[in-house]
Structures are given as C-alpha cells and as structure tokens.
Amino acid sequence: MKRTLLALTGLITAAALFACGSTATTTTASFDSAMTINVYTRDTTSGTRAGFMAGIGFAEAETDDSVLVDGFIIKDNTGILSAMSIDEYGIGYISLSSVNDTIKALYYEGVAPTEANVINDTYALKRPFMWMTRAAGDYPSADVEAIVNAFVAFLGTSDAGDIIANAGAIALPSSTTWDAIKSQHDVCLEDNSGVTVRFGGSDSIQKVAQALTAAFMPKCGNFVAEHDHTGSGDAYKRTNDPAIKDTSVGKDLAFASRYFKTTETVPEIQRGQLAWDAIVAIVHLNNPLSDVTAADLKAIYDGTYAKWSDLDANE
Amino acid sequence: MTDRTLLSKMKDTAGGRRSDRIAKTVFLSAALLSASFVFLIAGIVLIRGALPFLTDNDGLGSVDLLRFLTADVWLVGATFASNLYGVGYLILSTLFIAFLSLSVSFPIGVLTALFIAKVAPKPLAKVLRTVVETLASIPSIVFGLFGAGVILKLVYDFSMSIGYQSKGGNSILATALVLALMTIPTITSISEVAIRSVDKALEHGSLALGASKTQTHFKVVLAAAKSGIFTSAILGIGRALGEATAVSLVAGGRRSGVSFDLLDTTATLTTMMLEGLKETTGLDYDIRFSVGLVLLVVILITNLTLNAIKRKVGSVHVKA
C-alpha cells in the first residue's frame, strides 16, 4: 500500500515536471481577440486609481470595487507592470514614470504617453498637482508667511523639480535654481526651528509634498513641517474657508490633485500648479491595440467590453 | 600554602555564586521582557481589533461582528464611506490554501527527510541538510519575487495550454505552490530530526525479521517518528497561514466570494491586511487590526485542533 503511494507520488511529480517543461514554450505571438480581457487595478486606497478612474470618467470606481467588472485583479504599481509582461490578455494602468519596454504603453485619445506631451498638455490622462496658500496677512505669524512664500518660490525651481520627479510625478519645466533666488528670502537665513508650518490637502500628493518639505527644511532654517493630508476638497476649506481656516485643522499651505473649482476661487497669487501626475494604460507587447479612448477604458473597467474583440467591433 | 589555595578556591566559588545570582537576574529580566512583548502585542491587537465593533468609527457606525465574520464580500460600498466589511470568505480561502499547500509540501518534505536521514550517503546527506537549512532561511519576499516572476508565468502558460484563460497566473494554484516551497524546508528539517531519533533497535528488529529496507523505512521508521512528523506539519501550516508578503504577490486580490477553482484569483486574511496598508486611514486602517485578530484566532484554533489530533495519533517508540 505504502509503496504504491510512493510510486504514485513519484509519478505525479514527474507528470507535473513534464507538464511545466513542455508548456513553458507554448506561448505564441498570435493574439486571440476572442479572449476575455483581464482587468488589473490598484486597490481603493491608491491615488493612481483615483486619478485614473476620474480621468476616464468612471469616478464612482475610485473607492468602490463593486462597480468594477467581475473578476478584476488587484495589484500594486510594480505588480501591474510585471503582470503585463506575462498576461497577454491583461490591461492595467501605472504611473508614467514607471513605464518601460517590457510592456506596451497605450496612446490615449491619439496622443503618445510621453513626458513632453504631458507638459505641453496634449496627453489627457493626467491630473494637475495644485497648491493653495492662505491670504496675505492671514497667517499665524509673519515668519510662517515668509516661509510659505519661500516654499512657493522653491516649488518653481529645478531643485524642487528633481524631488518631484523622484517621487514619481512630472515637474513643470524650470530653469531657476534655489541658489539663484534664495537671497530674496531672508527668512531662510534665520533659525526657524521654533516655527511650525502646517501642510495639508490631497493625500495623493502627500508623498511628493513630504519629499519637498523634507528637502526644503534644511534650506530654510530648519522650520518644522506638519503634514496632515485629508483630501483635495480640504485644500481650499482649510486655508481660505472663513468657517474652517481658523479652527485647529487650519492649514498654511495645502495641495489638491485637481484644478480648483469655481467655488474655490482665491487671488492668483495664492494658488498655482507644481506638477502633473500622468497615468498610462498598459497592455502586453503582443496586444495589437495601440490607442485607447476614455470611453474604451471605461467600458473595459465597468465590464461593458468583456472580450478584446468587443473593442475592435466598436472602433 | 595549601590553606591559601583552598581559601582562594572558596572565594572563587563564592564569587561564582554571586555571578550566578547576577546571571540569573539578567536571564529572568530577559525572559520577562520577551514574554511581556507577547502580551503587549496580543493586547494591542485585541484592543485595536475590537474598536471597529465598539465605536461608531467617525460617523460610519460600528461594524456588525456577526456580519463581519460571515460576509462573502470584503467591502460593500465605497472605501472610507462604508462599514460593511466582511472576512467570512477570507477565512475559508485562507484555510483552503494552507491545507492545499500542505498537501504538496508534506509528502515532498517528509520523503526528503527520510532520504536525508536514512537513504543518502553521509556526504550527500550533509550537503542536502545545508541546502534545506539555507532554503528555510530565505526571506519570504524572495519567495514572493520568485513566485511573481516564475510561478505566475508557469501557471499562466500551463492554464493556456489546457485551454483555460487564467488571470495572468494569479491564482490559488500559484499561491499554494509558493507556500509549499516555503514550508518544505520547515517540514523537512523537523521531520528529519524526528526520523533520526527513532531507536536503532527498532530498525534492526525489523530488518532481522526479514523486512526489506524500504519496508522498514515506511512501516517502522516513519510510524515511530509520526509524532515529530506531525509537529512539522503543524509548524508548516502555521507558516502558511501567517504568510503575507509572498502570497500578496501571486494571489490576485480577490474581493468577494470563495472560489475553489485552482486557476481563479484568491485572497487570504494576511493579503487583505497588507493591501493598501500604507495609504489607508480611518476605519479602513483600523479594520485591519480586526482581520489580524481573526487570523490569530484562526491560527489558534487550527493549532489546537492539530495538536489534539496529534495526541490521538500518539507518540510511540520515539526516544526522548
């Protein structure tokens, strides 16, 4: 009995090994569009997911999995990237800075996903990273106001651009360096270790914002940066809404990962853009698809298109 | 002269006793410190894990415990705006995957142990033992990367070859294989020790009665070492139940429903705790402690059950 069991185990192992060995070579370059689309997504806490879903006009899927097509696969940025090198029939999205030649990055509405096209504002699957400050004279102290002004100036330098790029976003082009403009900000020569500046707004920008303040603190008298990111909606409210800005959650400078709405108007000097966050839909290199529209992507993610041929039929 | 030597010897002994006392105190405090961490960690997980059920979670309302334990959807409604969490399907798939991986790793691990302990020539056994020990010390993230880079591809190609379109290889099968790879060394090393400690007289008796070597190995040696072998399975399943990193790279992040389809995506209690952990806040963060609490209970119950079975199986003929 035991010996039979042993023989059986050996046989199964051998069969499994043979199966693996023989199947590893069966992948062909021919693409079968009758296959189901495997939909890859980030999880609901991801800022990239929020940007992607809002960008393709599927905002209800930003934080809700139940509106997505059945059988979607959740992976992180790198997970989706590596999955697209395996899964011929998959589609996913990653941030533009992660794109490499192991996958095919899709044109969006006919525009190639390149940094240049993001900066010249032709590539549309992206969202702006915006900042907003309090009104002049409406700060806890003159020091805080001066540091915020210096930080805003810093955002426009190539030093900040490098930090933004390292954090995965796309900085606006700049030819100024901090060294060239720092003489205009005397506050940074003082010891500011007792001054706290409150940052907040979009949580998608938190990583970029923290990298920026971490780099700027030693350049500006070691002030203390306090980060409390609660969402783009709070950027205006906590800096300029008279009912909230002076409560304990008030902020000195806050970020939004979208343009400010008409209800959030402040003088132009109090707001601006620091970067772009561009997202790219990606597929396997064998996939003949090269260009998608927002409507295509929404139809794929909500399950209207289940097979790749559905996409061709509606082109 | 001799008196003086005696005196100094006595002093040494007295000093030795003093150092013994100091050492004892140091050991005791180290033991207390490490033991207190168990209570600290269990306590914090218990308290934080219970909070979502007791507080109103910043206006979202408290989570219904019964629903949480039985629901087959992770979250109904939008993240940060809903309290309808559920782990029922995760408990089932976690147990299913752990036992599935054990069904692969246990026979391989035990047979490897038998080979190393009884069959292999001494130099080869030594090499194999080192290999197994090295395998046991490989960090789980490395197994995860191997899984994501190699096993996903193998599973994907395998399923394509049988005409089934898998989800890029992200599947129960891939997860069970990665976990099996991780648990084989645990099972092998512990089983090997158990097999080696079987009384030689038993083997000689069996051989003297005319049994072949193979008959002796299976009917006497393995039977005599079954208690230790069972222990290896318990430890193996413990590792499989608690593994998060490697599993999260190959599971696919299933959000609802139990699936026993080997090529379908899955999720476990641990992958759900890990997913989005770094970016989430509020109830969506706190609920992960509750999932952790559920996992601790699942592991506890599994271990108690397996230990009860082990006592029934009994430990005979094994040298202390």
Side-chain angles (χ1 to χ4, degrees), chain B residues 9 21 62 78 83 92 119 124 128 138 144-145 153 230 255 264 270:
Chain B
K9 262 192 184 164
R21 272 200 301 278
S62 63
N83 67 351
L92 289 181
V119 184
L124 180 61
L128 281 176
I138 291 176
L145 290 175
K153 174 95 179 120
F230 212 85
R255 281 302 160 94
D264 203 354
T270 49

Side-chain angles (χ1 to χ4, degrees), chain A residues 1-3 6 9 13 19-21 23-27 34-40 42-48 60 63-66 70-76 79 82-83 85-90 203 229 308, chain B residues 74-80 107-108 111 148-150 152-154 156-158 160-161 164-170 212 214-215 218-219 222 248-255 264-265 275-277 279-281 284 288:
Chain A
M1 176 61 196
K2 293 250 170 68
R3 203 183 280 174
L6 177 68
T9 318
T13 317
C20 290
T23 52
T25 51
T26 50
T27 311
M35 285 289 197
T36 305
I37 305 174
N38 278 341
V39 174
Y40 290 77
R42 301 283 305 275
D43 68 79
T44 47
T45 62
S46 156
T48 308
E60 57 270 40
T63 53
D64 191 350
D65 284 324
S66 60
D70 279 343
F72 60 90
I73 301 139
I74 295 181
K75 292 246 151 186
D76 62 14
S82 63
S85 64
I86 295 173
D87 192 344
E88 272 190 285
Y89 303 98
D203 34 13
H229 293 259
W308 284 103
Chain B
W74 164 242
L75 176 62
V76 178
T79 313
F80 310 123
I108 297 179
L111 292 180
V150 179
L152 284 188
K153 174 95 179 120
L154 283 176
Y156 179 80
D157 287 340
F158 167 71
M160 276 296 177
S161 74
Y164 183 94
Q165 187 187 357
S166 71
K167 305 281 182 191
N170 297 284
S212 75
T214 310
Q215 280 170 331
F218 278 91
K219 299 206 168 167
L222 282 190
S248 68
L249 291 173
V250 295
R254 191 178 185 82
R255 281 302 160 94
D264 203 354
T265 56
E275 222 166 62
L277 182 64
E279 294 190 73
T280 197
T281 57
D284 197 56
R288 284 153 215 267

Side-chain angles (χ1 to χ4, degrees), chain A residues 132-135 138-140 144 148 196-202 226-231 234-241 244-255 270:
Chain A
M132 180 181 274
T133 69
R134 297 174 83 93
D138 188 30
Y139 289 88
V144 172
V148 167
T196 301
V197 181
R198 300 162 301 167
F199 295 87
S202 163
E226 189 183 274
H227 284 270
D228 170 29
H229 293 259
T230 48
D234 284 332
Y236 168 81
K237 283 186 204 157
R238 296 187 171 189
T239 54
N240 286 282
D241 185 336
I244 296 168
K245 71 184 170 71
D246 296 320
T247 65
S248 60
V249 297
K251 297 285 173 273
D252 301 311
L253 188 148
F255 300 92
Q270 276 176 256

Side-chain angles (χ1 to χ4, degrees), chain B residues 106-119:
Chain B
F106 186 70
I108 297 179
V110 172
L111 292 180
T112 309
L114 189 64
F115 180 74
I116 295 176
K118 292 292 168 202
V119 184

Side-chain angles (χ1 to χ4, degrees), chain B residues 71 135 151 237 298:
Chain B
L135 201 61
I151 292 183
I237 212 153
V298 167

Side-chain angles (χ1 to χ4, degrees), chain A residues 237-301:
Chain A
K237 283 186 204 157
R238 296 187 171 189
T239 54
N240 286 282
D241 185 336
I244 296 168
K245 71 184 170 71
D246 296 320
T247 65
S248 60
V249 297
K251 297 285 173 273
D252 301 311
L253 188 148
F255 300 92
S257 50
R258 56 165 169 76
Y259 287 117
F260 293 112
K261 297 175 180 168
T262 48
T263 52
E264 302 172 331
T265 325
V266 296
E268 202 162 317
I269 186 130
Q270 276 176 256
R271 61 191 157 85
Q273 186 179 353
L274 64 142
W276 286 109
D277 179 30
I279 302 154
V280 185
I282 59 168
V283 294
H284 192 271
L285 287 172
N286 286 354
N287 196 317
L289 187 71
S290 58
D291 192 341
V292 280
T293 64
D296 291 337
L297 289 173
K298 180 172 187 298
I300 289 171
Y301 274 84

